[in-house]
Each structure stands twice: as structure tokens, then as C-alpha cells.
Amino acid sequence: MKVWVLSLLIVLIVIGVILASSAFYVLDQTQQAVVLRFGKIVAVETEPGVHFKQPFVDNVVRFDKRILLYDIEPEKIIAADKKTLVIDTYVLWKIKDPEAFIRSLKNVNLALPRIDDVVYSHVRNIFAKANFDEIISEKREDLLKKVTELSREDLKEFGIEVVDVRVKHADLPEENEAAVYERMRAERYSIAAQIRAEGEKEARKIRAEADKTAKVLIAEAQSKAEQIKGTGEASAVKIYAEIFSKDKDFYEFWRTMEVYKSIEGGILLVGDELDALRYLISK
């Protein structure tokens, strides 16, 4: 083979490789792309694989399909109770519509300031309607949900989906941190004292009600006991009367036994007749 033929073949192979490499491009699972021809969008590819484009004419701009993190610089906000806070937030976002994204924002570097403006604006407005205690409590989750929803709506037209807005830190500025903590401590002591006073008042009320109920129950029990005792004594008298009417001797004997029982361990004063002692005197 002549030299010039071999050289021509090599040149053709090189040109073919260059044309092939410029006519196709590859997207992996994490990528999506917009194909531009003289600045005009001619194709949007969101599926992975090998895709065709016109060599040396089309320009392929790739974007990440994954959720991205943007860390917003800490900013001062003023809460509803006029307390100043330093809020450190970050945004999880992704490019939902690459065509709208490249038409409006062109690239990620230009998109980040827009995200910063929108999100921080909503953080400032939403948090400004809440008190300091609400911002540092569990209610902050509700506030962040509102921020996320509003930011998502505002950035939708730019092809951006805001996945979530989170707060890393919500701190007091160093210049007034000590004063605010001292005021909070005083407020907590005041609330604790009020709670203790209300507790003691409620305890006294409960004890008074319990004492009143106990007295009523005791009085009712004593009344019922007296009633039962009276009924019992009446029944006993009736029974004794029935028995003694049938046997007078037994009645005398029983009375005498009652007298003996009463003198046990004591002194008995008797008159001239010792009839009551007749059961003690041996015959």
C-alpha cells in the first residue's frame, strides 16, 4: 500500500472518530441534559443512555438530577416579641424542569442567589410572626413547612423544586445573648412561682372538700349506729320482758347475777337484808 493511501486512511479514521465523538453524548443515571443549537433549545433529555446531536453545532448542557444542598449564610431576623435571632438555614432542592431552568436561570451558579433570596425572604417573614419561644420549640417545624411550601411555589416557574428547608441553628446574637437568657430565666421563675401558688391553692381546696366529706360520712355513720343500737336495745327489752313474764324466779336470779358482776373488784354497800347475797351464803 502506498504511503499516501495509508495516510489518507488514517486521516479518515481520525475524522470518523472525531465525528462520532461529537455526534453522540452519554448521560448516566444522575444526569439530565438540554441540547442547544445556536442558543436555542432543540432537545431535553432526562433518561440515561447514549443520545445523538449534530456534530459541532449542538451544545449539550448537563444538569444533576439528584437532590442538591444549598447552605444559606446565617442571617439575623427579628421575632414577633422583638427578639433578634441568627438563623442558619439550608435548602434541599433539585432541577425539576431543565428547560425552564436553563431559560430562566441558565446555570446553577446563577440559580443559587435566586434560591437564597426567595427562601430567606420567606424565613424572615414567617419567623417574624412567631415569638422567640415558638421558634426554638417544636413549633419551628410548622414554620419551616410554611417556608418550604411558599419557596416551592415561588421557584417552580424557574424549573426548581424545593424539597425541604431546614434550620441548622437558631442562636441569639452574642451582644444580647446574656441579657435575653437572664430575662428568660426570670420569666421561668415567675411562671414556676405562679404554678406553685395555684397548686397550693388547689391542694387546700381539695383538702377542705375531703375534710367536709369525711365529717358528713362520720356523722351519717354515727347516726346510723345510734339508730341500730336503739333498735337493738328495744329488741332486747322486749325479749327480756317476754322471758321474765314467764319465769319470775329466773328474773330474780338474773338480777342477782347482775349485782354480783357489778361488785367484782369493788365494794358492795347493802342494807339490813342480805337477800341479794343469798346465792353466796352457803346453806
Side-chain angles (χ1 to χ4, degrees):
M1 183 178 293
K2 295 181 178 180
V3 176
W4 67 271
V5 175
L6 180 60
S7 300
L8 179 61
L9 182 60
I10 294 174
V11 170
L12 291 176
I13 292 174
V14 171
I15 293 174
V17 171
I18 294 174
L19 288 174
S21 62
S22 63
F24 297 96
Y25 63 97
V26 179
L27 295 179
D28 62 27
Q29 296 286 347
T30 66
Q31 293 178 321
Q32 53 190 342
V34 176
V35 181
L36 300 174
R37 185 175 300 159
F38 305 115
K40 182 179 179 182
I41 298 174
V42 294
V44 176
E45 299 292 345
T46 58
E47 298 299 325
V50 178
H51 302 275
F52 175 78
K53 68 182 182 66
Q54 287 193 9
F56 309 112
V57 177
D58 291 348
N59 179 32
V60 179
V61 180
R62 290 176 171 81
F63 296 111
D64 205 320
K65 292 170 65 176
R66 296 171 295 184
I67 295 176
L68 305 174
L69 170 67
Y70 176 52
D71 193 353
I72 299 176
E73 287 294 321
E75 297 283 353
K76 287 185 178 180
I77 66 166
I78 300 176
D81 51 1
K82 307 303 179 186
K83 294 175 181 174
T84 302
L85 287 171
V86 177
I87 301 294
D88 190 357
T89 56
Y90 65 92
V91 183
L92 298 176
W93 66 285
K94 64 180 180 180
I95 300 173
K96 183 73 172 181
D97 185 348
E99 183 175 352
F101 182 81
I102 200 169
R103 286 185 186 278
S104 57
L105 301 174
K106 307 301 181 186
N107 55 54
V108 173
N109 290 332
L110 295 178
L112 295 181
R114 174 71 66 176
I115 295 174
D116 192 308
D117 293 340
V118 171
V119 174
Y120 174 65
S121 174
H122 289 306
V123 169
R124 183 182 56 205
N125 294 335
I126 295 297
F127 280 40
K129 298 175 183 177
N131 293 325
F132 174 78
D133 292 344
E134 294 173 333
I135 293 174
I136 63 175
S137 69
E138 295 178 352
K139 193 174 181 180
R140 186 169 69 191
E141 294 298 321
D142 296 333
L143 302 177
L144 289 173
K145 286 182 180 178
K146 292 181 182 177
V147 173
T148 301
E149 292 172 359
L150 294 173
S151 302
R152 183 179 299 158
E153 187 64 28
D154 287 349
L155 291 171
K156 185 169 60 177
E157 63 178 306
F158 301 105
I160 293 174
E161 178 184 354
V162 176
V163 178
D164 202 0
V165 178
R166 310 300 300 173
V167 171
K168 290 192 293 184
H169 302 287
D171 302 323
L172 293 167
E174 293 182 0
E175 59 270 21
N176 60 354
E177 185 173 349
V180 172
Y181 278 139
E182 183 62 31
R183 186 164 62 250
M184 290 180 62
R185 192 166 68 91
E187 291 174 354
R188 294 297 184 275
Y189 274 119
S190 176
I191 293 173
Q194 182 179 357
I195 293 174
R196 280 197 297 270
E198 292 176 353
E200 291 175 357
K201 180 181 178 181
E202 189 67 19
R204 288 195 298 271
K205 181 180 178 182
I206 293 173
R207 281 197 293 268
E209 291 292 334
D211 292 341
K212 181 180 178 181
T213 302
K215 289 180 181 178
V216 171
L217 292 176
I218 291 172
E220 290 177 352
Q222 289 177 342
S223 175
K224 191 172 182 179
E226 291 296 330
Q227 185 179 1
I228 294 172
K229 183 179 178 182
T231 302
E233 290 177 348
S235 298
V237 170
K238 183 179 179 182
I239 293 171
Y240 287 149
E242 291 176 353
I243 295 174
F244 295 155
S245 64
K246 294 179 180 178
D247 190 343
K248 288 187 177 181
D249 292 337
F250 176 74
Y251 175 72
E252 291 297 331
F253 175 75
W254 178 78
R255 291 289 305 271
T256 303
M257 291 299 106
E258 288 294 316
V259 172
Y260 291 169
K261 188 169 65 176
S262 68
I263 65 175
E264 184 179 1
I267 298 174
L268 175 64
L269 297 178
V270 298
D272 297 336
E273 295 186 3
L274 300 175
D275 187 54
L277 302 177
R278 66 182 181 277
Y279 293 108
L280 296 177
I281 299 175
S282 62
K283 294 182 180 180

